[in-house]
């Protein structure tokens, strides 16, 4: 049956029950159809009342045919399997990810432990390497600048000549010749009795008096230090007397 409705102060229709539902039919909407004496609220019309209360669904569609239902079931089965496989894959991926995170955490802990254990050792080795390099540099410098025998003789002769000059107290031309003569004799004597031992890093000058050897000079860093001047003068005097 088709119904007219009275909405917005005007008559509309006629409409089928489905069309009325689509237009938002309410229980108070005034309706009229052929055979009705007057406009009546929709809830008073049994066909419309059942639709409004949901007892009847307008335009009901019949279920699919048996062969169509079987086809739909077959199509949905692979999808379910695929969904299950996807779920399994996601679960495995999550498990692998968790295992990877755990492995990464263990590796980080191992790296931290290794850093704690080996870092002091690395620093110690680095300090030893630096010390060795410095020692090599110093040794090389000492070897290059180790004084020679000529430098020892010059230093020792200079000390003796100065001592002789101070003890003679001569001045003027006579004193000058005396000093020159004395220096020549001292140089000759020192060259004869002074022995110098070169130890690469340093050198030591020694003299032998009465069968006893005594150190009289020490050389290092291209400089010669003399000591025991009295012993040196004694050795020189013995050498001069022997001549």
């Amino acid at each position: 049956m088709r119904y007219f409705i009275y909405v917005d102060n005007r008559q509309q229709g006629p409409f089928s029950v489905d069309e009325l539902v689509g237009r938002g039919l309410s229980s108070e909407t005034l309706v009229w159809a052929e055979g009705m004496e007057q406009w009546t609220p929709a809830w008073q019309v049994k066909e419309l009342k059942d639709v409004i209360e949901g007892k009847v669904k307008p335009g009901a569609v019949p279920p699919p045919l048996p062969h169509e239902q079987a086809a739909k079931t077959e199509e949905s089965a692979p999808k379910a399997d695929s969904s299950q496989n996807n779920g399994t894959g996601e679960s495995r991926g999550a498990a692998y990810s968790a295992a990877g995170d755990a492995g990464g955490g263990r590796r980080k802990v191992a790296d931290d432990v290794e850093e704690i254990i080996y870092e002091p050792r690395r620093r110690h080795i680095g300090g030893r390497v630096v010390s060795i390099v410095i020692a090599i540099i110093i040794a090389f410098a000492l070897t290059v600048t180790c004084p020679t025998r000529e430098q020892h003789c010059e230093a020792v002769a200079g000390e003796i000549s100065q001592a002789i000059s101070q003890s003679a107290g001569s001045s003027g031309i006579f004193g000058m010749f005396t000093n020159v003569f004395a220096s020549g004799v001292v140089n000759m004597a020192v060259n004869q009795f002074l022995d110098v031992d070169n130890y690469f890093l340093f050198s030591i000058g020694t003299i032998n008096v009465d069968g006893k050897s005594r150190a009289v000079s020490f050389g290092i860093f291209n400089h010669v230090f003399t000591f025991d001047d009295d012993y040196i003068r004694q050795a020189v005097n013995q050498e001069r007397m022997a001549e």
Side-chain angles (χ1 to χ4, degrees):
M1 183 176 292
R2 299 179 67 84
Y3 295 91
F4 291 91
I5 60 175
Y6 186 78
V7 179
D8 296 333
N9 296 323
R10 63 188 181 88
Q11 175 183 311
Q12 301 180 23
F15 302 109
S16 66
V17 176
D18 292 340
E19 291 173 337
L20 289 176
V21 173
R23 287 177 170 270
L25 177 68
S26 67
S27 60
E28 301 299 329
T29 301
L30 297 177
V31 299
W32 181 87
E34 185 177 355
M36 297 176 62
E37 296 181 357
Q38 59 184 358
W39 291 92
T40 305
W43 66 271
Q44 294 183 6
V45 180
K46 186 177 186 315
E47 182 181 16
L48 299 180
K49 179 181 179 182
D50 293 340
V51 172
I52 294 172
E53 293 179 353
K55 295 180 180 179
V56 177
K57 295 183 179 179
V61 179
L65 297 175
H67 68 278
E68 294 179 352
Q69 182 67 29
K72 290 183 178 179
T73 303
E74 292 178 357
E75 291 178 357
S76 61
K79 293 182 179 180
D81 294 340
S82 176
S83 175
Q84 182 177 2
N85 292 334
N86 291 337
T88 304
E90 292 177 357
S91 300
R92 291 178 180 175
Y96 292 152
S97 177
D101 293 340
R106 288 193 293 269
R107 285 194 297 270
K108 186 177 184 305
V109 172
D111 293 340
D112 293 340
V113 172
E114 181 180 357
E115 188 72 17
I116 294 172
I117 294 175
Y118 291 106
E119 182 61 22
R121 184 176 300 177
R122 294 193 190 102
R123 293 180 181 177
H124 179 66
I125 294 174
R128 292 184 62 182
V129 170
V130 172
S131 300
I132 292 173
V133 171
I134 293 174
I136 292 174
I137 293 174
I138 294 175
F140 178 76
L142 289 171
T143 302
V144 172
T145 60
C146 183
T148 62
R149 184 178 189 281
E150 288 75 15
Q151 290 175 288
H152 278 268
C153 291
E154 182 180 353
V156 173
E159 289 292 331
I160 297 174
S161 297
Q162 184 178 1
I164 293 174
S165 176
Q166 291 176 355
S167 63
S170 300
S171 60
I173 297 176
F174 179 77
M176 181 179 65
F177 281 108
T178 301
N179 292 335
V180 171
F181 177 77
S183 297
V185 173
V186 169
N187 289 333
M188 291 176 59
V190 169
N191 284 326
Q192 291 180 6
F193 69 73
L194 183 64
D195 294 326
V196 177
D197 297 320
N198 192 330
Y199 297 96
F200 297 103
L201 302 182
F202 58 90
S203 55
I204 298 177
T206 60
I207 59 176
N208 192 310
V209 177
D210 296 333
K212 296 180 180 179
S213 181
R214 181 176 296 184
V216 294
S217 61
F218 177 80
I220 190 171
F221 282 123
N222 208 31
H223 186 77
V224 177
F225 302 91
T226 61
F227 39 86
D228 206 348
D229 295 342
D230 294 336
Y231 189 79
I232 295 173
R233 284 195 295 270
Q234 180 183 353
V236 173
N237 290 333
Q238 289 185 359
E239 185 69 21
R240 290 172 64 184
M241 289 175 64
E243 294 176 355

